Amino acid sequence: MSTSMWKKAKPYLLTIGLQFGSAGMYIISTVTLNHGMNRYVLIVYRNAIAALVLLPFALVLERKTRPKMTLSIFFHIMVLGFLEPVLDQGFAYLGMNYTSASFTSAIMNAVPSVTFVISVIFRIEQVNIKEVRSQAKVIGTLVSFGGALLMATYKGPAINIVGSHDNSSHHESSSSNTSGSHWAMGTLFILIGCVAWSCFYVLQSVTVKKYPANISLSCWICTMGAMQGAAVAFVAERRPSAWAVGMDTRLLAPLYTGIVSSGITYYVQGLVMKTRGPVFVTAFNPLCMILVAILASFILAEKLHLGSIIGGVIIAIGLYAVVWGKSKDYGTSPSSDPSDLKDEDEVHKLPVTTTNGTKMSIIGDKDSSNKPTEMQYMTVQK
């Protein structure tokens, strides 16, 4: 493969690799939780390992660019550490216990749509219903919610992709009974996780502007998540045996989710976003849903239900409508290079001549009305 072809294929290969990594996280987490590992303990170990993995990279790569920590930024990091590691992961694992790995991964596709709604509420996202791109985002959001609602209220007949296995019949039966009796409750828990994850994205977009050191910020978030998660775990689970790990999934799950799902994922996402943008990464999310469904059928002997398949397809359609509308905000397609776009925060200089002949330059950012803001005046003698 030539160098030019590799550069073109690299973002696609990395992003597809991320989806395989995420699919593995759902499968391994499900197996570990089914074997009795406490979800709060798993959250603590996952984020502690992720923080340890990210720490050396943050210290070395961002030692000269890391901004000063302030009380406001630290407060933001504490909230971020509670939203994603504690709330999102906690409720997602709980919902996964009540439903299945494939169902959880399908519902999580609604995160971009929920993020859009929250962004509109806090006026971070602007909506002009007369524009096609805004109509696509609104319709896509409604379609995604409709798909999630369908999955919560309608299961339909079971569909086995690869056929059932006798050695897994007991696990499959118990899993089906649990899913059937708590399906709606499990969906509610997963949706709470979706909302928490969406709030995390919105707050992160604000925090990263004040603390533009991505690896260090991720390390701080995982550290705060591990500490806050530990406080919750010590209250919810007081058995010392719950914290024990061995040479089994109790050790594999924290290592995998911490290193792959947090450490490597944070780095690769940042790498791809620099050249392709967040829209490109988001567009591959439905691939994870398909991979989880296939892997869960082989490894967990899960049977998909017709309602999950239809609802997952509807959510994916809604997701792509939101992604398409969002891509038009930047005046480009998801595959375009954001580096070719003009930075909205680019400094503009406007020459001005005063009445006494002194030349001045107005330096400032342009807002949406194309007017300079936050002006500073530099005086240059004639």
Side-chain angles (χ1 to χ4, degrees), residues 335-347:
S335 60
S336 298
D337 192 341
S339 62
D340 296 334
L341 303 176
K342 293 182 178 180
D343 189 357
E344 293 180 355
D345 297 329
E346 181 183 0
V347 174

Side-chain angles (χ1 to χ4, degrees), residues 5-313:
M5 290 180 61
W6 165 246
K7 288 183 178 179
K8 292 180 180 179
K10 183 178 178 180
Y12 293 91
L13 296 177
L14 289 176
T15 309
I16 291 174
L18 284 182
Q19 302 308 316
F20 276 93
S22 297
M25 182 273 294
Y26 283 108
I27 300 300
I28 294 175
S29 298
T30 299
V31 172
T32 303
L33 295 173
N34 287 341
H35 280 78
M37 187 172 189
N38 186 278
R39 63 181 183 277
Y40 299 111
V41 175
L42 176 58
I43 291 171
V44 174
Y45 285 156
R46 168 180 175 172
N47 288 279
I49 292 173
L52 291 175
V53 171
L54 292 170
L55 180 59
F57 295 98
L59 292 176
V60 174
L61 300 178
E62 297 179 341
R63 63 184 185 278
K64 296 181 179 180
T65 60
R66 189 182 305 109
K68 182 180 179 180
M69 179 65 67
T70 64
L71 185 61
S72 175
I73 294 174
F74 185 74
F75 177 75
H76 282 193
I77 291 175
M78 288 188 64
V79 177
L80 287 169
F82 184 74
L83 284 173
E84 209 284 318
V86 178
L87 281 184
D88 170 41
Q89 294 176 22
F91 279 104
Y93 287 150
L94 181 59
M96 194 184 300
N97 270 340
Y98 285 141
T99 56
S100 66
S102 55
F103 183 87
T104 304
S105 65
I107 290 288
M108 281 298 178
N109 278 323
V111 167
S113 299
V114 178
T115 304
F116 169 71
V117 173
I118 296 174
S119 299
V120 171
I121 293 174
F122 287 95
R123 298 184 179 180
I124 297 175
E125 186 81 28
Q126 301 297 324
V127 175
N128 186 353
I129 202 63
K130 295 182 180 179
E131 296 179 348
V132 176
R133 60 184 181 184
S134 293
Q135 295 173 3
K137 288 185 285 188
V138 172
I139 294 175
T141 299
L142 296 176
V143 170
S144 296
F145 284 146
L149 183 62
L150 176 64
M151 294 178 70
T153 57
Y154 174 69
K155 289 183 65 176
I159 300 175
N160 194 353
I161 297 179
V162 296
S164 58
H165 303 280
D166 294 336
N167 57 1
S168 302
S169 59
H170 175 71
H171 167 71
E172 180 184 346
S173 177
S174 61
S175 176
S176 298
N177 291 337
T178 302
S179 300
S181 60
H182 300 286
W183 200 261
M185 185 179 296
T187 304
L188 177 61
F189 289 144
I190 298 172
L191 289 176
I192 293 175
C194 282
V195 174
W197 196 0
S198 299
C199 292
F200 173 85
Y201 276 133
V202 174
L203 182 58
Q204 185 186 34
S205 67
V206 176
T207 307
V208 74
K209 295 178 181 178
K210 299 180 179 180
Y211 196 83
N214 294 332
I215 302 179
S216 298
L217 179 61
S218 299
C219 184
W220 271 111
I221 293 172
C222 292
T223 301
M224 291 296 105
M227 294 175 63
Q228 296 178 75
V232 175
F234 285 133
V235 174
E237 181 57 77
R238 299 182 180 180
R239 294 179 298 112
S241 59
W243 295 84
V245 294
M247 300 304 293
D248 53 13
T249 55
R250 287 176 177 264
L251 178 61
L252 176 62
L255 287 175
Y256 184 92
T257 56
I259 296 174
V260 177
S261 302
S262 294
I264 295 178
T265 297
Y266 284 150
Y267 173 74
V268 173
Q269 281 181 346
L271 194 65
V272 176
M273 285 182 185
K274 285 183 179 179
T275 58
R276 295 287 179 166
V279 173
F280 181 86
V281 178
T282 307
F284 284 79
N285 284 357
L287 176 60
C288 178
M289 173 181 65
I290 299 173
L291 293 173
V292 171
I294 296 174
L295 291 174
S297 180
F298 277 101
I299 299 173
L300 305 177
E302 284 186 1
K303 288 185 177 180
L304 284 176
H305 292 269
L306 181 61
S308 297
I309 296 176
I310 298 176
V313 172

